Every structure is written in structure tokens, then in C-alpha cells.
Amino acid sequence: MSIERELSKRSGSKCELCGAEENLKVYQVLPTKKGGIDEAILACNTCIDQIENPDNVDLNHWRCLNDSMWNENIPVQVVAWRMLSRLRAAGWPQELLDMMYLDEDTLEWAKATGEGEDDENKLVHRDSNGVVLQHGDSVVLIKDLKVKGSSMVAKQGTAVRNIRLDHENAEYIEGKVDGQQIVIITQYVKKI
């Protein structure tokens, strides 16, 4: 069975990104290792053109990613992640990216083309060792911290899981310590 036929069967003869039913083609999701159905999607000419030519992007066309990002097929997830990363400055794509989960191998594949890399204007949060922190990471406190506005002291060695990044200041992160949401200065944490 040809790849196109297998993809057509998998997708119900629709573009796996936007759902269009005409002008469908096999799109190889680069970089490929073996080729085949596990590294390809069935996509319409409009989607392929906008993936390959960033200057042709119609932001409203990609609202379809709200549905296709949940597709069970990994190549579809990779392309959805890449397009959301490319468009994240528009606001709503960043919200979808924050909801999206990719396992480590899939995320590595998605980032392989350089999509989603930090641009110059983006804040980069770093721990005490200079390691880049990301939303959802776990950190450990490297010294006792008095929590302002409270009698609580966050003890050295306390693990803070599922941190949130402050989008206005690269020195601040947020996390729960003893059930209380607090702001923590990045120079006092180390990524686990």
C-alpha cells in the first residue's frame, strides 16, 4: 500500500491539519530517519505552502491547530507545534502551546528545524548555574528564603515542581512551597 493511500486512510481523506478535502499531498516532516507513514502527514496545498513559505502565512488559517494539535499521530503533533511556535507572537498560539504536551523525543524532533528557538526579545530565565528554566520545570532552593508578607521560611533543599515563568522579569519564577504560591528569585534555585 502506498504512503499516500495509508495516510488517506489514517486521515479520512482530509488534511490532517485543517481538514480540507481537496488538493491533498504527502508532506514529509523533516528531518526524517526512515521515511514512511510515521514521518509524514497528509496536508492540503494551502497548509504546505504556508509551512514552507513563512511570508505567505494567514494567521486565521492556523486556528485549525486548536483541534489538530490533539491528533494522536506524532507527525501531526510535530507540525502543529512548529506552526504554533512560529506564530506565538500573536497571543493565542502561545496559549495553545502552553496546553500542548509532547514527550521528549517528539519535542526534540519538533525543535530539530530550529522552530521555537528563543528570539532576541524573549526573556530567558536561568537558574543559579545558568541553566535555562522553562515552564513546568522542577527546581530546588539553594538557600533558606523568607517569604515576604508571611512568617513562612522556604527551607534550603525544598523542591518546587511545575514552576511558572514571570513573563515580565527574567529574575522571577512562581511555584508552590508548602501549598502556598510564591514568587522566587531565580538566583536562589537550581534546576533538578
Side-chain angles (χ1 to χ4, degrees):
M1 187 180 282
S2 74
I3 291 176
E4 187 170 1
R5 206 172 309 156
E6 286 182 70
L7 287 173
S8 186
K9 184 177 178 183
R10 178 176 90 184
S11 68
S13 298
K14 294 181 181 177
C15 174
E16 292 184 278
L17 298 170
C18 73
E21 296 180 5
E22 296 179 0
N23 302 318
L24 303 176
K25 292 194 286 191
V26 174
Y27 179 77
Q28 288 292 322
V29 181
L30 301 175
T32 58
K33 292 180 182 170
K34 298 179 278 184
I37 190 169
D38 293 333
E39 295 179 345
I41 63 171
L42 192 65
C44 67
N45 283 341
T46 303
C47 287
I48 292 172
D49 178 57
Q50 292 186 38
I51 290 167
E52 295 179 337
N53 302 301
D55 296 338
N56 296 346
V57 170
D58 171 11
L59 186 63
N60 285 324
H61 175 78
W62 293 104
R63 291 197 179 267
C64 60
L65 295 177
N66 190 34
D67 294 321
S68 56
M69 68 185 240
W70 303 111
N71 191 298
E72 65 187 8
N73 298 297
I74 291 174
V76 179
Q77 295 172 14
V78 167
V79 174
W81 186 92
R82 288 177 181 172
M83 289 308 297
L84 289 170
S85 294
R86 184 183 298 176
L87 304 171
R88 70 176 175 249
W92 62 265
Q94 182 63 53
E95 292 174 17
L96 294 180
L97 267 175
D98 290 344
M99 288 188 283
M100 195 170 185
Y101 171 79
L102 299 178
D103 64 48
E104 283 185 25
D105 292 338
T106 305
L107 186 58
E108 183 178 295
W109 183 19
K111 288 182 175 181
T113 59
E115 209 71 66
E117 287 184 4
D118 295 337
D119 56 348
E120 296 174 60
N121 300 328
K122 187 173 180 190
L123 293 175
V124 178
H125 296 72
R126 297 183 185 273
D127 73 1
S128 60
N129 294 326
V131 176
V132 175
L133 298 172
Q134 300 201 7
H135 180 83
D137 282 346
S138 295
V139 297
V140 65
L141 302 179
I142 60 170
K143 73 177 259 181
D144 289 354
L145 300 175
K146 172 125 176 61
V147 179
K148 286 186 179 178
S150 165
S151 61
M152 183 177 123
V153 175
K155 296 287 186 190
Q156 177 180 351
T158 301
V160 182
R161 306 200 186 291
N162 198 20
I163 64 168
R164 294 181 163 271
L165 306 179
D166 185 314
H167 295 289
E168 295 174 8
N169 190 330
E171 298 295 313
Y172 296 150
I173 60 172
E174 296 179 22
K176 282 193 175 182
V177 175
D178 295 332
Q180 184 176 345
Q181 188 79 10
I182 63 170
V183 174
I184 306 166
I185 298 174
T186 56
Q187 67 187 25
Y188 301 125
V189 300
K190 182 173 71 172
K191 185 173 177 179
I192 301 175

